[in-house]
Amino acid sequence: MRNARRIALLLGGFLAAVIACASPAVAQTGSIEFVARVRPSSGLAEPARGLPFVLLRKSFADIRKEADNSEPKPDLDAFIDKLELSKELKAWMKKNRTVKLSGVDFAHTLKPKDIMNIPEFYSAYLERNVGDRSINFPQPKFRERDITHDPQKYEKQKQEYRDAVEKFLLTNPQSADGMEIELMSLDPNQKWERLEGERVPAIRRRALDWSETRYLAGHAETDLGGRGVFREIAPGNYWLSTLEVEAVAGDARLRWDTPVTVLAGQITRIELSNFNAVEPPRGPR
Protein backbone atom coordinates (compact mmCIF):
# COMPACT_ATOMS: atom_id res chain seq x y z
CA MET A 1 0.00 0.00 0.00
CA ARG A 2 2.82 2.35 0.90
CA ASN A 3 4.58 1.50 -2.35
CA ALA A 4 1.43 2.34 -4.33
CA ARG A 5 1.17 5.73 -2.60
CA ARG A 6 4.84 6.39 -3.22
CA ILE A 7 4.45 5.57 -6.92
CA ALA A 8 1.37 7.79 -7.17
CA LEU A 9 3.22 10.69 -5.56
CA LEU A 10 6.16 10.25 -7.87
CA LEU A 11 3.89 10.16 -10.93
CA GLY A 12 2.03 13.24 -9.72
CA GLY A 13 5.28 15.11 -9.20
CA PHE A 14 6.53 14.08 -12.63
CA LEU A 15 3.33 15.23 -14.35
CA ALA A 16 3.41 18.52 -12.44
CA ALA A 17 6.98 19.09 -13.58
CA VAL A 18 6.05 18.34 -17.19
CA ILE A 19 3.14 20.78 -17.07
CA ALA A 20 5.30 23.42 -15.41
CA CYS A 21 7.92 23.06 -18.13
CA ALA A 22 5.36 23.02 -20.94
CA SER A 23 3.29 26.00 -19.84
CA PRO A 24 6.00 28.67 -20.36
CA ALA A 25 6.66 27.31 -23.87
CA VAL A 26 3.01 27.76 -24.81
CA ALA A 27 2.96 31.23 -23.30
CA GLN A 28 6.07 32.20 -25.30
CA THR A 29 4.26 32.00 -28.65
CA GLY A 30 1.99 34.54 -30.28
CA SER A 31 -0.27 34.66 -33.32
CA ILE A 32 -1.07 36.84 -36.31
CA GLU A 33 -4.54 37.58 -37.60
CA PHE A 34 -4.73 39.48 -40.88
CA VAL A 35 -7.18 40.53 -43.55
CA ALA A 36 -6.24 41.30 -47.15
CA ARG A 37 -8.34 43.55 -49.37
CA VAL A 38 -7.78 44.91 -52.88
CA ARG A 39 -9.26 48.15 -54.15
CA PRO A 40 -9.38 48.70 -57.94
CA SER A 41 -8.99 52.26 -59.25
CA SER A 42 -12.76 52.51 -59.55
CA GLY A 43 -14.90 50.56 -57.11
CA LEU A 44 -14.96 49.23 -53.58
CA ALA A 45 -12.27 47.17 -51.86
CA GLU A 46 -12.72 43.43 -52.31
CA PRO A 47 -11.42 40.64 -50.04
CA ALA A 48 -8.46 38.72 -51.45
CA ARG A 49 -10.08 35.28 -51.34
CA GLY A 50 -8.12 32.02 -51.31
CA LEU A 51 -4.78 33.82 -51.51
CA PRO A 52 -1.75 31.89 -50.25
CA PHE A 53 0.50 33.71 -47.77
CA VAL A 54 3.82 32.74 -46.24
CA LEU A 55 5.31 34.06 -43.03
CA LEU A 56 9.00 34.79 -43.59
CA ARG A 57 11.88 35.49 -41.22
CA LYS A 58 13.34 37.82 -43.85
CA SER A 59 11.62 40.07 -46.37
CA PHE A 60 11.14 38.54 -49.80
CA ALA A 61 12.83 41.61 -51.31
CA ASP A 62 15.96 40.93 -49.24
CA ILE A 63 15.80 37.23 -50.07
CA ARG A 64 15.83 38.16 -53.77
CA LYS A 65 18.86 40.39 -53.18
CA GLU A 66 20.63 37.57 -51.35
CA ALA A 67 19.84 35.18 -54.21
CA ASP A 68 21.10 37.78 -56.69
CA ASN A 69 24.37 38.16 -54.80
CA SER A 70 24.82 34.40 -54.65
CA GLU A 71 24.51 33.93 -58.44
CA PRO A 72 27.79 34.61 -60.29
CA LYS A 73 27.63 37.69 -62.50
CA PRO A 74 29.06 37.76 -66.03
CA ASP A 75 32.53 39.31 -66.26
CA LEU A 76 32.17 42.76 -67.84
CA ASP A 77 35.88 43.14 -68.57
CA ALA A 78 36.03 39.75 -70.28
CA PHE A 79 32.97 40.67 -72.35
CA ILE A 80 34.57 43.98 -73.40
CA ASP A 81 37.83 42.27 -74.34
CA LYS A 82 36.01 40.12 -76.91
CA LEU A 83 34.39 43.08 -78.66
CA GLU A 84 35.74 44.18 -82.05
CA LEU A 85 36.29 47.77 -81.03
CA SER A 86 39.28 50.09 -80.67
CA LYS A 87 41.45 49.75 -77.60
CA GLU A 88 40.53 53.34 -76.70
CA LEU A 89 36.80 52.57 -76.65
CA LYS A 90 37.37 49.36 -74.66
CA ALA A 91 39.37 51.33 -72.10
CA TRP A 92 36.54 53.90 -71.87
CA MET A 93 33.98 51.12 -71.31
CA LYS A 94 36.04 49.56 -68.54
CA LYS A 95 36.64 52.90 -66.87
CA ASN A 96 32.94 53.83 -66.92
CA ARG A 97 31.73 50.26 -66.24
CA THR A 98 29.28 50.36 -69.13
CA VAL A 99 28.95 49.11 -72.69
CA LYS A 100 25.89 51.24 -73.46
CA LEU A 101 26.42 53.77 -76.25
CA SER A 102 23.05 55.47 -76.08
CA GLY A 103 20.63 57.11 -73.66
CA VAL A 104 20.84 59.88 -71.10
CA ASP A 105 23.54 58.21 -69.00
CA PHE A 106 25.76 57.87 -72.07
CA ALA A 107 25.30 61.52 -72.99
CA HIS A 108 26.17 62.63 -69.44
CA THR A 109 29.23 60.38 -69.30
CA LEU A 110 30.61 61.52 -72.66
CA LYS A 111 33.26 64.25 -72.47
CA PRO A 112 34.79 66.32 -75.31
CA LYS A 113 38.16 64.61 -74.78
CA ASP A 114 36.43 61.24 -75.22
CA ILE A 115 34.96 62.36 -78.55
CA MET A 116 38.32 63.58 -79.75
CA ASN A 117 40.43 60.64 -78.53
CA ILE A 118 38.21 57.61 -79.17
CA PRO A 119 38.10 56.74 -82.91
CA GLU A 120 34.50 55.48 -82.91
CA PHE A 121 33.23 58.59 -81.09
CA TYR A 122 35.21 60.94 -83.31
CA SER A 123 33.87 59.29 -86.47
CA ALA A 124 30.31 59.40 -85.13
CA TYR A 125 30.68 63.08 -84.25
CA LEU A 126 31.93 63.91 -87.75
CA GLU A 127 29.14 61.88 -89.37
CA ARG A 128 26.62 63.77 -87.28
CA ASN A 129 27.89 67.26 -88.22
CA VAL A 130 29.85 67.31 -91.47
CA GLY A 131 26.78 67.29 -93.70
CA ASP A 132 24.83 69.85 -91.67
CA ARG A 133 24.81 73.06 -93.76
CA SER A 134 22.99 74.99 -91.03
CA ILE A 135 26.13 75.21 -88.91
CA ASN A 136 29.56 76.52 -89.72
CA PHE A 137 31.28 73.19 -89.14
CA PRO A 138 34.98 73.02 -90.08
CA GLN A 139 35.78 71.60 -93.51
CA PRO A 140 38.90 69.48 -94.09
CA LYS A 141 41.65 70.76 -96.38
CA PHE A 142 43.78 67.62 -96.43
CA ARG A 143 43.44 65.17 -99.30
CA GLU A 144 43.93 61.46 -99.21
CA ARG A 145 46.28 61.57 -102.21
CA ASP A 146 48.73 63.62 -100.12
CA ILE A 147 49.32 60.58 -97.90
CA THR A 148 51.82 59.40 -100.51
CA HIS A 149 52.53 62.62 -102.48
CA ASP A 150 53.16 64.92 -99.54
CA PRO A 151 52.80 63.09 -96.19
CA GLN A 152 54.06 66.04 -94.11
CA LYS A 153 51.48 68.37 -95.62
CA TYR A 154 48.81 65.72 -95.10
CA GLU A 155 49.63 65.24 -91.41
CA LYS A 156 49.85 68.99 -90.80
CA GLN A 157 46.49 69.74 -92.40
CA LYS A 158 44.87 66.76 -90.71
CA GLN A 159 46.03 67.98 -87.29
CA GLU A 160 44.84 71.49 -88.09
CA TYR A 161 41.44 70.05 -88.95
CA ARG A 162 41.28 68.11 -85.68
CA ASP A 163 42.17 71.26 -83.76
CA ALA A 164 39.40 73.15 -85.57
CA VAL A 165 36.89 70.36 -84.83
CA GLU A 166 37.84 70.32 -81.15
CA LYS A 167 37.48 74.10 -80.93
CA PHE A 168 34.04 73.88 -82.54
CA LEU A 169 33.00 71.08 -80.14
CA LEU A 170 34.09 73.04 -77.06
CA THR A 171 32.28 76.14 -78.33
CA ASN A 172 29.18 74.19 -79.36
CA PRO A 173 28.75 71.26 -76.94
CA GLN A 174 25.21 70.66 -78.21
CA SER A 175 26.73 69.54 -81.53
CA ALA A 176 27.39 66.16 -79.85
CA ASP A 177 23.64 65.57 -79.42
CA GLY A 178 22.38 62.59 -81.38
CA MET A 179 25.78 60.94 -81.76
CA GLU A 180 24.30 57.66 -80.53
CA ILE A 181 22.39 57.35 -83.83
CA GLU A 182 25.72 56.90 -85.58
CA LEU A 183 26.85 54.40 -82.93
CA MET A 184 23.82 52.11 -83.07
CA SER A 185 25.56 49.47 -85.17
CA LEU A 186 28.42 49.32 -82.65
CA ASP A 187 26.39 49.36 -79.44
CA PRO A 188 26.88 45.97 -77.67
CA ASN A 189 24.49 46.76 -74.81
CA GLN A 190 21.68 44.47 -75.98
CA LYS A 191 24.08 41.54 -76.15
CA TRP A 192 25.31 42.33 -72.63
CA GLU A 193 21.75 42.63 -71.30
CA ARG A 194 20.90 39.20 -72.76
CA LEU A 195 23.95 37.77 -71.03
CA GLU A 196 22.91 39.33 -67.73
CA GLY A 197 19.32 38.18 -68.26
CA GLU A 198 20.41 34.55 -68.30
CA ARG A 199 20.88 34.84 -64.52
CA VAL A 200 17.30 35.93 -63.87
CA PRO A 201 15.57 32.51 -63.89
CA ALA A 202 18.21 31.03 -61.56
CA ILE A 203 17.85 33.97 -59.14
CA ARG A 204 14.07 33.65 -59.16
CA ARG A 205 14.17 29.90 -58.48
CA ARG A 206 16.66 30.34 -55.65
CA ALA A 207 14.67 33.15 -54.00
CA LEU A 208 11.45 31.10 -54.08
CA ASP A 209 13.24 27.99 -52.81
CA TRP A 210 14.82 29.83 -49.87
CA SER A 211 11.46 31.44 -49.06
CA GLU A 212 9.91 27.99 -48.73
CA THR A 213 12.80 26.51 -46.75
CA ARG A 214 15.42 28.43 -44.78
CA TYR A 215 13.30 31.57 -44.14
CA LEU A 216 9.85 29.98 -43.81
CA ALA A 217 7.91 30.39 -40.54
CA GLY A 218 4.46 29.31 -41.70
CA HIS A 219 1.77 28.99 -44.39
CA ALA A 220 -1.77 30.41 -44.45
CA GLU A 221 -4.55 30.91 -46.96
CA THR A 222 -7.24 33.58 -46.82
CA ASP A 223 -10.90 32.65 -46.48
CA LEU A 224 -13.86 34.13 -48.37
CA GLY A 225 -13.57 37.29 -46.28
CA GLY A 226 -9.88 37.67 -47.09
CA ARG A 227 -8.89 36.69 -43.54
CA GLY A 228 -5.99 34.48 -42.52
CA VAL A 229 -4.18 33.46 -39.35
CA PHE A 230 -0.79 32.18 -38.18
CA ARG A 231 -0.79 30.48 -34.78
CA GLU A 232 1.89 29.47 -32.25
CA ILE A 233 4.56 31.71 -33.76
CA ALA A 234 7.71 32.44 -31.78
CA PRO A 235 8.11 36.13 -30.84
CA GLY A 236 10.12 38.16 -33.33
CA ASN A 237 10.03 40.18 -36.53
CA TYR A 238 8.49 38.60 -39.63
CA TRP A 239 7.15 39.47 -43.07
CA LEU A 240 3.75 38.57 -44.48
CA SER A 241 4.39 37.78 -48.11
CA THR A 242 2.54 36.54 -51.17
CA LEU A 243 5.89 35.95 -52.90
CA GLU A 244 5.09 36.23 -56.63
CA VAL A 245 1.36 35.54 -56.33
CA GLU A 246 -0.84 38.57 -57.03
CA ALA A 247 -4.21 39.52 -55.60
CA VAL A 248 -6.33 40.77 -58.50
CA ALA A 249 -9.42 42.97 -58.46
CA GLY A 250 -10.29 44.92 -61.60
CA ASP A 251 -7.17 46.76 -62.71
CA ALA A 252 -5.41 46.30 -59.34
CA ARG A 253 -2.73 43.62 -59.02
CA LEU A 254 -1.19 43.57 -55.56
CA ARG A 255 1.55 41.70 -53.76
CA TRP A 256 2.54 42.04 -50.14
CA ASP A 257 5.87 41.81 -48.35
CA THR A 258 4.78 43.51 -45.14
CA PRO A 259 6.70 43.56 -41.84
CA VAL A 260 4.91 42.35 -38.73
CA THR A 261 6.03 41.83 -35.13
CA VAL A 262 4.89 38.91 -32.98
CA LEU A 263 4.82 39.37 -29.19
CA ALA A 264 4.69 36.57 -26.64
CA GLY A 265 1.17 35.63 -25.61
CA GLN A 266 -0.42 38.27 -27.83
CA ILE A 267 -2.39 38.43 -31.08
CA THR A 268 -0.98 40.78 -33.71
CA ARG A 269 -3.65 42.09 -36.07
CA ILE A 270 -2.85 43.69 -39.39
CA GLU A 271 -4.81 44.86 -42.42
CA LEU A 272 -3.28 44.44 -45.86
CA SER A 273 -4.42 46.85 -48.55
CA ASN A 274 -3.26 48.87 -51.55
CA PHE A 275 -1.44 51.19 -49.17
CA ASN A 276 1.05 48.63 -47.83
CA ALA A 277 1.34 46.52 -50.98
CA VAL A 278 4.63 46.40 -52.89
CA GLU A 279 5.28 47.13 -56.55
CA PRO A 280 5.75 43.94 -58.58
CA PRO A 281 9.26 43.80 -60.08
CA ARG A 282 9.38 45.08 -63.65
CA GLY A 283 10.89 43.34 -66.62
CA PRO A 284 11.66 39.62 -67.06
CA ARG A 285 11.65 37.39 -64.01
Side-chain angles (χ1 to χ4, degrees):
M1 193 70 174
R2 290 180 179 177
N3 289 337
R5 288 181 180 176
R6 186 174 297 173
I7 292 172
L9 289 172
L10 288 173
L11 286 174
F14 175 75
L15 290 173
V18 169
I19 293 171
C21 292
S23 296
V26 173
Q28 287 304 309
T29 63
S31 60
I32 301 170
E33 294 181 358
F34 66 94
V35 60
R37 297 188 179 93
V38 186
R39 183 188 295 275
S41 58
S42 59
L44 300 175
E46 301 177 15
R49 303 179 181 91
L51 191 66
F53 276 83
V54 292
L55 189 64
L56 301 174
R57 296 185 181 89
K58 187 175 186 176
S59 74
F60 186 55
D62 287 341
I63 294 172
R64 287 179 66 94
K65 290 178 183 178
E66 184 181 353
D68 186 11
N69 292 334
S70 71
E71 184 68 21
K73 294 178 173 61
D75 189 329
L76 181 61
D77 288 346
F79 175 82
I80 293 172
D81 286 336
K82 294 178 181 178
L83 297 175
E84 295 182 0
L85 300 171
S86 69
K87 66 179 186 297
E88 291 87 355
L89 181 49
K90 290 181 180 181
W92 179 88
M93 288 177 168
K94 290 181 180 180
K95 177 183 176 181
N96 291 283
R97 309 310 299 165
T98 183
V99 294
K100 190 173 184 179
L101 303 181
S102 63
V104 175
D105 290 340
F106 170 70
H108 288 168
T109 304
L110 201 60
K111 302 294 189 298
K113 65 178 182 179
D114 298 325
I115 296 174
M116 296 306 302
N117 296 330
I118 297 172
E120 291 88 346
F121 291 170
Y122 184 66
S123 296
Y125 179 70
L126 294 181
E127 288 289 333
R128 186 65 178 163
N129 290 284
V130 166
D132 190 347
R133 297 182 178 275
S134 64
I135 59 176
N136 189 25
F137 195 77
Q139 298 299 315
K141 296 179 180 179
F142 61 89
R143 299 178 179 181
E144 296 300 321
R145 68 183 183 184
D146 288 335
I147 295 177
T148 54
H149 293 163
D150 194 344
Q152 288 186 343
K153 177 183 177 182
Y154 174 82
E155 291 298 331
K156 180 176 181 295
Q157 291 182 335
K158 187 175 182 180
Q159 185 58 50
E160 288 173 349
Y161 178 66
R162 285 183 63 88
D163 293 342
V165 169
E166 183 173 13
K167 183 178 179 180
F168 182 89
L169 171 60
L170 293 173
T171 306
N172 304 276
Q174 74 281 358
S175 60
D177 295 347
M179 269 181 52
E180 61 268 21
I181 296 173
E182 309 298 333
L183 295 167
M184 286 178 60
S185 61
L186 301 178
D187 193 343
N189 190 59
Q190 287 189 351
K191 186 184 295 184
W192 172 250
E193 286 183 341
R194 284 196 298 271
L195 189 61
E196 284 192 311
E198 292 174 0
R199 300 173 61 248
V200 174
I203 294 169
R204 176 177 178 270
R205 287 193 299 270
R206 189 166 298 172
L208 290 173
D209 177 63
W210 287 352
S211 297
E212 293 286 355
T213 53
R214 66 168 66 174
Y215 294 116
L216 182 67
H219 285 103
E221 185 172 309
T222 56
D223 61 17
L224 294 179
R227 294 179 176 82
V229 61
F230 292 93
R231 301 190 188 281
E232 297 185 7
I233 304 299
N237 295 320
Y238 297 90
W239 282 261
L240 279 173
S241 177
T242 53
L243 301 181
E244 293 185 348
V245 180
E246 295 179 344
V248 181
D251 60 350
R253 306 177 69 90
L254 305 184
R255 298 181 187 183
W256 286 281
D257 191 28
T258 308
V260 59
T261 300
V262 175
L263 301 176
Q266 295 187 27
I267 300 174
T268 300
R269 295 181 174 86
I270 184 170
E271 182 173 341
L272 303 175
S273 66
N274 297 51
F275 298 106
N276 52 12
V278 296
E279 285 286 334
R282 300 180 183 274
R285 293 179 300 173

